[in-house]
Amino acid sequence: DYRAIFPKDCKFVMQVDRNEIANALNRCLICQGKELQKPHTILKCAKDSNSISVILYKATNKFSDDVACNYSLEASEDMLIGINTKFLYEAVKATTDEKIVIQYYGSVHPFVVCDNTLRQLIAPVRLDEAAKKV
C-alpha cells in the first residue's frame, strides 16, 4: 500500500500558483548554476505570512523570491525546510492544475506536492544551524 509512506499529522497546507512557484524555482536554478558544492535551497514561510520564500543559501550567487500562498489548514508552526531545487522544480512541472498544494509535516519530514490527479513526496535536505537562521 503506497499510501502508507505518506506522512501523517500535517503542520499546515498551503496553496500556490503553479506558474509562480515554477518560475521562482527556475530562477533559483539559474542562480545556482553548476557550483562545485551544492548550495541549499530553503523554503521558508511564517505561520502568519501570506507568502512562501524561496532562498538560495551557501551559493556564490544570492537569490531570494517570494511567492503568494493561501492556507487551507492553519499553520501550527513556521515552515523552514531545505530542498533539492531540481527535485521540487520537476515535481511542480509534472502537475497540471493552475493551483497546487504543498503539505508541510516538519523540517525533517518529507513534504507533499499535489494537484487533483497527482501526489508527490519530496524528501528534505538537512539544514545546518546557520541555515536555520536565514
Side-chain angles (χ1 to χ4, degrees), residues 33-120:
K34 296 186 187 255
E35 295 194 21
L36 296 175
Q37 282 189 315
K38 291 287 184 193
H40 299 300
T41 298
I42 299 170
L43 293 181
K44 182 178 182 178
C45 186
K47 62 184 173 184
D48 55 352
S49 174
N50 61 351
S51 67
I52 184 170
S53 297
V54 178
I55 304 164
L56 186 58
Y57 176 72
K58 279 195 173 177
T60 310
N61 301 316
K62 301 296 180 201
F63 176 82
S64 179
D65 200 357
D66 292 333
V67 177
C69 66
N70 296 317
Y71 296 104
S72 57
L73 175 65
E74 199 58 41
S76 62
E77 64 181 54
D78 293 348
M79 179 180 83
L80 181 69
I81 192 163
I83 59 161
N84 179 315
T85 317
K86 182 89 170 142
F87 290 168
L88 182 55
Y89 180 66
E90 293 298 327
V92 169
K93 281 185 11 181
T95 60
T96 56
D97 291 350
E98 191 174 308
K99 299 285 185 184
I100 60 173
V101 173
I102 297 175
Q103 299 171 338
Y104 174 73
Y105 298 89
S107 62
V108 295
H109 300 288
F111 62 100
V112 176
V113 175
C114 53
D115 63 7
N116 286 328
T117 59
L118 184 63
R119 288 185 78 196
Q120 302 171 81

